[in-house]
Each structure stands twice: as C-alpha cells, then as structure tokens.
Amino acid sequence: MQSAISLSLSSPSPIVRSAVGSTGDACLPTPRSLRFCGLRREAFGSRASLDASSLRLSRLNLHSKHSDLSKVFAVLKGNGTPSSSGYDYDLVIIGAGVGGHGAALHAVEKGLKTAIIEGDVVGGTCVNRGCVPSKALLAVSGRMRELQNEHHMKSFGLQVAAAGYDRQGVADHANNLASKIRSNLTNSLKSLGVDILTGVGTILGPQKLKFGKGDSGDKIITAKDIIIATGSVPLVPKGIEVDGKSVITSDHALKLEFVPEWIAIVGSGYIGLEFSDVYTALGSEVTFVEALDQIMPGFDPEIGKLAQRVLINPRKIDSYTGVFASKITPAKDGKPVQIELIDAKTKEPKDTLEVDAALIATGRAPFTQGLGLENINVQTQRGFVPVDERMRVIDANGKLVPHLYCIGDANGKMMLAHAASAQGISVVEQVSGKDHVLNHLSIPAACFTHPEISMVGLTEPQAREKAAKEGFEVSIAKTSFKANTKALAENEGKEWPRPDNGEILGVHIFGLHAADLIHEASNAIAMGTRIQDIKFAVHAHPTLSEVLDELFKSAKVKVSTSNAVAEPVAV
Ligand SMILES: Cc1cc2nc3c(=O)[nH]c(=O)nc-3n(C[C@H](O)[C@H](O)[C@H](O)COP(=O)(O)OP(=O)(O)OC[C@H]3O[C@@H](n4cnc5c(N)ncnc54)[C@H](O)[C@@H]3O)c2cc1C
Ligand SMILES: NC(=O)c1ccc[n+]([C@@H]2O[C@H](COP(=O)([O-])OP(=O)(O)OC[C@H]3O[C@@H](n4cnc5c(N)ncnc54)[C@H](O)[C@@H]3O)[C@@H](O)[C@H]2O)c1
C-alpha cells in the first residue's frame, strides 16, 4: 500500500520516498502498552484499506512532495523542537483515536510541538472496537458468501466443498488485525516524536490541562491550542440490560465469543446492517427490531429498498419495524433473552420476542466524562460538545472558547473515522494560520455489507427539499450495471445534479466495491467539479468505475463547457 501510493507521486526527491519507507519500517510491534487509568465507562476506550496508519504516513509523504528539503527534514526530525509559543506544547490533543491520530500527524508536518493524551489504548474505537475488527469479520463473511454460492462458483467452472469456519480462528483474525494496526498507529506517533501522555485528560481552564489517574500524581501542562477528540461509546436505551454475554453491544460482538442460532439486532443502521451480514454468513438467523417505519431508515429510500431486496429478503432475516425494544432481559436460568416490544408511536405493548441473543445497535453516545468541560463553562448538547463549522467549541453563553476545538464522534457532526481525521486536519490548518472549513457534504460514507452501499452528499428527498427551498430544479440520473463484464453482481448508481449549474448534490451506489467507487464522486464534490466537466473524464474498460462514467454521462444539465454539448433538461 505504501509503495503503491508513493510511486504514484513521481516524487522528485529520493529522500521523500525513503522517509516513508523508514517511517513505515519503524512500525514494529511496540513493547509499551498503554493502560486505562481510572475512568469508568462501558468500554473505554479505516476502511477500504485497513492499514490506516500506512495511509496516513503516505499522506505525510504526499504533502512533503511540494515542500523544500528543510520541511522534509523538519518532518523527519518530528516533534523534538521546543514550542516557540511559550506553552509546554503548541497543540495538545485529548484522545488518540483516529481523529486525534490524524490531527497529531498533520500537526507534526506543520512543525507544531504536539502531545496526545490517551486514557486507554491508542487507536480508539475505530481500530480497537470499530472499523478495523468489524471489517475483518466482514472480510470473512464476504468470503463465506462467495464460497457458499455454488451457482456463482460453477459459473467459473469451480467446484468447492462445503464451506465452514472455525469461530475462534475468525475471532483471532479480527483481534490480530486490530492489534497490528494499533501498534502501527502507536509507532507512527512515536516515530514522529509526538509525546504520548498516558492517563485521563482533563481541561482545567483556558489552555491548561492535567493528565493522569485523577489523583495527586496528575501532571499539569499548558498548550497554545487544545483539541478534544474523546470519541463515543455504545448508546444503550433505558430498559435494556447489557450483560455482555447474551445481550451485547458491538464492543462485545466484535470479539465473536459465540455465534448464536437466533439473534435479534435492535437498530438497523450501519452497525446492525453490517453485523446482519456477518451473522447470517456464519449461519445465524437474524430478527431486526427497528423503531422507525422501515429498516435502514438512514439510507436514501430507493437505495434502501434495493438493498433490502438483496441484503435482507434472500437471507434468514425478518424484521419488526415501528417498534421500540422497551425492555430486554438477558438469558438466565435456562430462559432465553426476552425482548418486550412496544409500538413506537402509541407506546402500546406489541409483542415479546424470545431469542438466543440480542445485539444493541441503537447508535453511539459521545464520551466526555472526566473532561472538565464545566471548568470552561461548556455545556454539552445531547451529550455532544457544541462546535461551529470550524470545530471551535462554543460555551454555555454561545461564545467561542478561544484555542479550544472538538473533533470526531464527540461533536456528533458525522460519526465516521475519516470525518474525525479530516476535522482534525482542518483544525491543524487553522491553528497553523490558514483558515479552513471542511465541506461535510463531500465526505463519503459506506456500509461494508456484501455487496456494499456507499453515498456522498444529500439523499434524494434532502436534495428535493433543498431545491424547493432555494428555488432550483433537481435532475435525477440513474444507471445500473447488470451486464458489465467486470461486475459479478448488480451495481446501481444514482445521482442528483443541479441542471442549472451542474453541481453534484449527491451520489449513491449499491453494488460490488461501492465503497471504493464513491470517491470519484466525493472528490468531485470536494473540488467543486461539475457534471458538464466530469462527464468527459475517461474510465478504463472493463472496470467497475464505468458505472460512474455512465452516471455522469446520463445526467441532464443545461450548462456546457467548451467541449460539452448542451442537453435538454428532464426532471
Ligand atoms: C462497530 C463499529 C464499526 C465502525 N465502522 C466504521 C467504518 O467502517 N468506517 C468509519 O468511517 N467509521 C466506522 N465506525 C465509526 C468510527 O469508529 C468512529 O467514527 C471513530 O472511531 C471516531 O473517532 P474519534 O477519534 O472521534 O473517537 P474514538 O475512536 O472513539 O477515540 C477516542 C479516544 O479518546 C480516548 N479518551 C476519551 N476520553 C478521554 C480522556 N478524558 N482522556 C484521555 N483519553 C480519552 C478514548 O480512550 C479513545 O481512545 C465504526 C464504529 C463502530 C462502533
Ligand atoms: N461502515 C461505517 O462507516 C460504520 C459502521 C458502523 C458504525 N458506524 C458509525 O457508528 C455510528 C453508530 O451506528 P449504529 O448503527 O449504532 O447507529 P445508527 O444511528 O446508524 O442506527 C441506529 C438505528 O437504531 C434505531 N433505534 C434507536 N433506538 C431504538 C430502539 N430503542 N429500538 C429499536 N430501534 C432503535 C434507529 O432508528 C436507527 O435506525 C453511526 O453513526 C455510524 O456513523 C459507521
């Protein structure tokens, strides 16, 4: 992965290339283990390629490409120079999850003396209890599905004996991958000289913090700027008793300590859907319990329907919608898990389910315990730290708290690993003297089911609502990839540009490698590339990327470039 990315840079300097190589080589397992110190929480605490640290190290190289040699050496030297700001550090980040890690790496690149405080293990949710182990399990479920698909195998002329799995082997695979990436992340911080301060970070006042076990041994430090990156934990609604065995959250499920015959998944968002893919591939029957009127309510409605046809209907999955799980009692004394369902609107009792296990996937709660927000007059809103569009923290009087930022799950803007990291980078740009506002509508998201769902920008109803409010038309373009030579499954894409100026408002893809394909669209949105220009970009044949080529070409826009021919609008 590293060499593939650095080669594509055509870097003029061999030093730059070897910088990546040597930093990458430094990513050996660390003997130092960081331990959680004193704070209680349920579980205290990227994606297409799982090696997030390699990606970030490569990104460091990518930025360095345009710099002069002294900048390259500064990056290599890392964080050793004393802060010129008069504070102990230029930047202190509380929380070494993906958000904190991304911010720290960018801060070193910018020459800031940086420290990161971590109360548990480096990598946070994504690496230890989120993206990485869940994608490792999904990699297993993808292979199981392929091997179990006799018809598909036969079409290649392949014969495969009955596919089976070793539960502990699968669990070890997920755990080992998380450990490896945790080590990589820790070493990438160390090799750049970021000070990793162990313990709970608490803000004492403006530009002042302490860290430690919360006792007299705590150390006080000062920082010119502070970033809160304390993440989130599973949200368990009232009335649900989690015992970690038969009633579990994603924290427990990722350990795959058992594969239940019948599991109820409460909540059909990202976590619910991805785990339904894993459990059904491993032989479980799944019952969804969803409070809203349809399953997968967060997705674009049409894509949701399509996904239901492929990801739900043919599998051993049934669902209850429009109901709350009001009370869940773990299995005990030979009795199964009891789930009491009430009507989401009337609150009348509806049904009682008896299942082997229940996975609670009803969202995540921001984690700000012990952070000392009261010391700087900041009140959380539904638990989230209030921020403006530049991630600057807003106090209880609606005023910005100088030099204080909050990124990632703790601010609730977009609970995704890459969003946390991008927000961190954006803040570092600002504290280094360059204004930067992240366009959240350009941040892609993906659900790593088989096949995948991906999206960027608005859903169709959101685009129509915006159009009605702002007085423009929306053009809807759709394409399907049923007979593509490269595609082994159906791929469908949808997008909605503005016909008057060609701006892309949203793109949604369902199908093989949708999570990778979305980036052409998200980059186009981020860069402000319009339909009338991108439709002339050439895609290699035969590749899945042609689904986007077709999508862009089929969009109807009124405007044209010098190369483009104006087309009539069909809304
Ligand atoms: C099962 C699952 C699968 C997921 N899959 C994906 C995916 O495929 N793609 C994706 O983009 N996102 C995914 N996510 C979401 C992603 O994990 C989060 O959006 C991301 O981890 C948020 O990063 P963060 O840095 O804000 O917080 P976190 O990763 O939660 O890190 C916060 C860190 O702060 C530390 N901390 C907290 N308080 C303190 C304190 N006071 N002092 C010191 N340290 C403290 C914690 O110990 C933790 O290490 C998934 C989440 C889950 C649960
Ligand atoms: N591939 C990815 O990027 C990925 C994967 C997993 C998680 N995540 C992130 O983690 C976060 C949490 O994921 P999630 O799936 O837990 O949350 P979610 O918000 O995506 O879905 C929660 C679902 O639970 C339902 N619900 C809530 N309370 C309920 C109740 N009492 N009874 C029945 N249904 C109820 C909601 O209506 C909703 O559909 C997401 O915001 C997501 O961004 C991302």
Side-chain angles (χ1 to χ4, degrees), residues 162-190:
Y165 68 92
D166 157 31
R167 183 201 54 78
Q168 191 55 52
V170 176
D172 290 347
H173 159 64
N175 186 36
N176 292 341
L177 191 67
S179 307
K180 182 171 170 246
I181 293 183
R182 183 167 61 242
S183 294
N184 287 354
L185 247 69
T186 309
N187 284 304
S188 66
L189 290 171
K190 283 187 192 167

Side-chain angles (χ1 to χ4, degrees), residues 134-135 235 237 240 266-274 289-292 294 296-298 323-326 360-364 409 414-416 418 445-448:
S134 67
K135 265 76 259 181
L235 173 79
I240 297 180
V266 185
S268 63
Y270 283 84
I271 294 182
L273 206 54
E274 289 187 350
V289 174
E290 170 55 55
L292 295 180
Q294 62 181 77
M296 300 181 267
V323 291
F324 275 120
S326 60
I360 313 306
T362 48
R364 301 205 31 106
D409 283 9
M414 213 174 196
M415 291 179 126
L416 294 171
H418 46 283
C447 192
F448 293 84

Side-chain angles (χ1 to χ4, degrees), residues 50-105:
L50 291 173
D51 199 340
S53 68
S54 325
L55 269 179
R56 278 166 186 73
L57 291 169
S58 301
R59 202 200 59 232
L60 193 64
N61 182 23
L62 194 129
H63 283 248
S64 306
K65 168 173 92 102
H66 302 293
S67 314
D68 59 27
L69 276 183
S70 63
K71 175 114 184 274
V72 173
F73 285 124
V75 170
L76 289 176
K77 200 166 72 161
N79 198 21
T81 41
S83 164
S84 55
S85 59
Y87 297 90
D88 295 326
Y89 291 95
D90 294 316
L91 180 67
V92 170
I93 302 156
I94 312 176
V98 176
H101 179 261
L105 262 56

Side-chain angles (χ1 to χ4, degrees), residues 214-228:
D215 57 22
S216 56
D218 281 3
K219 293 203 175 80
I220 294 179
I221 49 171
T222 57
K224 182 172 167 291
D225 292 290
I226 298 172
I227 299 180
I228 298 168

Side-chain angles (χ1 to χ4, degrees), residues 191-459:
S191 62
L192 288 174
V194 174
D195 286 351
I196 303 174
L197 311 175
T198 307
V200 175
T202 304
I203 300 169
L204 297 174
Q207 298 170 292
K208 193 171 172 191
L209 318 85
K210 66 171 183 171
F211 69 95
K213 295 179 184 169
D215 57 22
S216 56
D218 281 3
K219 293 203 175 80
I220 294 179
I221 49 171
T222 57
K224 182 172 167 291
D225 292 290
I226 298 172
I227 299 180
I228 298 168
T230 50
S232 66
V233 289
L235 173 79
V236 178
K238 238 174 52 197
I240 297 180
E241 187 190 335
V242 170
D243 68 348
K245 293 186 179 96
S246 59
V247 181
I248 56 179
T249 67
S250 56
D251 287 353
H252 311 104
L254 289 167
K255 294 185 185 144
L256 202 73
E257 279 171 354
F258 77 121
V259 177
E261 266 182 49
W262 184 11
I263 183 163
I265 301 184
V266 185
S268 63
Y270 283 84
I271 294 182
L273 206 54
E274 289 187 350
F275 271 104
S276 75
D277 195 287
V278 171
Y279 280 124
T280 51
L282 299 184
S284 305
E285 288 181 30
V286 167
T287 296
F288 271 121
V289 174
E290 170 55 55
L292 295 180
D293 285 339
Q294 62 181 77
I295 53 170
M296 300 181 267
F299 296 96
D300 175 73
E302 197 178 341
I303 292 282
K305 270 192 205 129
L306 188 64
Q308 173 151 1
R309 222 181 63 211
V310 180
L311 299 175
I312 307 288
N313 298 351
R315 299 180 181 173
K316 287 184 180 166
I317 301 179
D318 63 0
S319 51
Y320 289 79
T321 53
V323 291
F324 275 120
S326 60
K327 186 171 182 210
I328 302 188
T329 315
K332 59 180 153 246
D333 306 328
K335 282 198 196 137
V337 174
Q338 307 268 331
I339 305 181
E340 291 176 26
L341 302 178
I342 58 168
D343 187 287
K345 290 190 188 103
T346 64
K347 307 287 182 276
E348 292 293 317
K350 274 283 259 213
D351 222 331
T352 301
L353 282 178
E354 291 191 342
V355 289
D356 299 318
L359 168 64
I360 313 306
T362 48
R364 301 205 31 106
F367 188 78
T368 54
Q369 219 175 295
L371 196 50
L373 291 176
E374 63 286 358
N375 298 333
I376 40 162
N377 189 31
V378 171
Q379 274 170 10
T380 58
Q381 289 171 4
R382 290 182 305 112
F384 294 104
V385 178
V387 292
D388 72 354
E389 76 285 0
R390 288 178 173 79
M391 313 303 136
R392 296 178 294 194
V393 174
I394 301 167
D395 75 11
N397 302 322
K399 295 212 169 96
L400 293 176
V401 182
H403 304 285
L404 184 66
Y405 300 80
C406 176
I407 61 167
D409 283 9
N411 72 28
K413 273 186 183 281
M414 213 174 196
M415 291 179 126
L416 294 171
H418 46 283
S421 181
Q423 289 173 358
I425 290 166
S426 176
V427 169
V428 170
E429 284 291 301
Q430 293 172 58
V431 302
S432 313
K434 191 173 164 218
D435 191 26
H436 190 269
V437 179
L438 182 65
N439 175 7
H440 283 79
L441 280 176
S442 74
I443 298 179
C447 192
F448 293 84
T449 42
H450 297 91
E452 296 165 348
I453 309 169
S454 65
M455 67 227 77
V456 61
L458 305 177
T459 61

Side-chain angles (χ1 to χ4, degrees), residues 487-571:
L488 301 172
E490 290 178 23
N491 265 49
E492 311 251 350
K494 280 180 78 181
E495 69 171 341
W496 14 96
R498 281 181 64 154
D500 57 342
N501 64 9
E503 180 190 355
I504 302 168
L505 299 171
V507 175
H508 296 242
I509 307 173
F510 176 69
L512 205 63
H513 296 297
D516 292 301
L517 292 174
I518 197 69
H519 292 93
E520 187 173 359
S522 62
N523 287 346
I525 295 178
M527 303 297 154
T529 313
R530 302 285 160 115
I531 285 289
Q532 61 271 25
D533 297 317
I534 203 167
K535 69 196 290 181
F536 290 99
V538 181
H539 297 70
H541 176 77
T543 62
L544 286 172
S545 72
E546 288 170 281
V547 74
L548 280 156
D549 190 29
E550 277 193 27
L551 198 58
F552 297 142
K553 284 191 164 67
S554 65
K556 308 289 181 210
V557 291
K558 285 177 189 165
V559 277
S560 62
T561 60
S562 49
N563 294 327
V565 179
E567 288 173 317
V569 183
V571 180

